[in-house]
Amino acid sequence: MKKDSLNNNSNRLDLNFLKNKNTITIAKNLLGKILVHETNEGILKGIILETEAYLEDDPASHSFNGKTKRNEVMFKSEGHLYVYFTYGMHYCLNIVTNKENIGEAVLIRSIKPIMNENIMIKNRNGNPKHISDGPAKLCQAFNISIKDNGINLLSKNSKIYLEEGNILINKFIQTERIGISKGKELRYRFKLIETKNKRK
DNA sequence: AAGGCGATTGCCT
DNA sequence: GGCAATCGCCTTT
């Protein structure tokens, strides 16, 4: 199979996107951005459709009871990837959103594939449906696992990074988060409900 | 040293 | 809608 040509990374988002913004704002702003993973199989890209914010004083957050071996990356500076293992079989991807020692992050919950969808389907054991419409499904589709925990997507040579999307209208809904037992009442989930492509 | 459980998914009814 | 699968981490003994 032919390899993709080298990406010049001209669209890679820089630190200013995450710096000095609160986690809720970042969770909203991540909607419509493009997640990129340059794998050996090819460059995978998708539009972020759904996010959830997890704050420091938030009982649903892994960071709520302080730093542990499992969650230590969540206490690193903004831009690091916090990937955790759960239910004995799944990985979930977060982007750390605050400065050193403040454990806050945004969980990526859903992505729409836009490049090399066929590779994602292969990564998903050939299932062409529901490729990346869940936090663990998108990790499987994008070949993201515990090996990626702690890498910084803002570093110049990371294989995982963000690009600006082409979403013009960025309407979203805000609801309670999914699958948690504490902090259920907090409306920290954000989901795109309408998108429109920019004219080139 | 042991027990409980989870920011989920997929299959079954 | 219900629930099993599956295991590393954390808490408690």
Side-chain angles (χ1 to χ4, degrees), chain A residues 4-38:
Chain A
D4 290 86
S5 61
L6 274 178
N7 192 330
N8 65 12
N9 297 335
S10 59
N11 293 323
R12 187 185 284 244
L13 288 182
D14 66 16
L15 187 67
N16 294 324
F17 172 68
L18 297 171
K19 207 159 70 176
N20 298 324
K21 291 203 177 72
N22 70 56
T23 297
I24 298 288
T25 300
I26 293 171
K28 295 173 186 172
N29 288 349
L30 280 170
L31 296 174
K33 296 289 189 293
I34 297 172
L35 179 73
V36 185
H37 188 187
E38 297 180 1

Side-chain angles (χ1 to χ4, degrees), chain A residues 33-59:
Chain A
K33 296 289 189 293
I34 297 172
L35 179 73
V36 185
H37 188 187
E38 297 180 1
T39 72
N40 291 334
E41 304 278 314
I43 300 177
L44 308 177
K45 294 191 185 188
I47 301 172
I48 296 173
L49 300 182
E50 183 182 341
T51 60
E52 284 178 357
Y54 287 88
L55 309 188
E56 193 185 32
D57 62 346
D58 170 4

Side-chain angles (χ1 to χ4, degrees), chain A residues 54-132:
Chain A
Y54 287 88
L55 309 188
E56 193 185 32
D57 62 346
D58 170 4
S61 175
H62 288 176
S63 62
F64 186 64
N65 290 315
K67 198 185 289 187
T68 67
K69 184 177 179 180
R70 184 196 193 206
N71 68 18
E72 60 181 356
V73 172
M74 216 176 154
F75 291 84
K76 287 180 179 277
S77 60
E78 62 270 34
H80 286 85
L81 295 185
Y82 169 45
V83 182
Y84 66 85
F85 181 67
T86 191
Y87 294 106
M89 63 190 90
H90 298 308
Y91 299 100
C92 293
L93 170 68
N94 294 255
I95 297 172
V96 177
T97 53
N98 216 316
K99 55 190 176 186
E100 182 93 33
N101 290 323
I102 300 182
E104 302 199 336
V106 171
L107 172 72
I108 309 300
R109 286 198 61 91
S110 183
I111 284 180
K112 178 187 178 186
I114 57 170
M115 181 183 282
N116 278 323
E117 185 172 346
N118 57 321
I119 297 174
M120 299 184 200
I121 292 171
K122 196 175 121 225
N123 291 343
R124 289 270 300 146
N125 300 319
N127 185 352
K129 302 276 186 190
H130 303 288
I131 297 167
S132 52

Side-chain angles (χ1 to χ4, degrees), chain A residues 110-181:
Chain A
S110 183
I111 284 180
K112 178 187 178 186
I114 57 170
M115 181 183 282
N116 278 323
E117 185 172 346
N118 57 321
I119 297 174
M120 299 184 200
I121 292 171
K122 196 175 121 225
N123 291 343
R124 289 270 300 146
N125 300 319
N127 185 352
K129 302 276 186 190
H130 303 288
I131 297 167
S132 52
D133 59 345
K137 285 184 265 189
L138 71 89
C139 280
Q140 191 181 12
F142 275 74
N143 192 22
I144 289 170
S145 70
I146 202 68
K147 72 188 185 311
D148 303 301
N149 188 39
I151 76 171
N152 191 344
L153 55 70
L154 298 170
S155 78
K156 290 278 188 259
N157 47 12
S158 68
K159 293 288 201 288
I160 300 175
Y161 52 92
L162 296 175
E163 288 181 350
E164 189 57 66
N166 62 346
I167 304 297
L168 182 60
I169 296 175
N170 214 357
K171 267 192 184 173
F172 60 87
I173 56 171
Q174 177 170 2
T175 70
E176 292 81 9
R177 293 169 295 184
I178 290 180
I180 55 175
S181 55

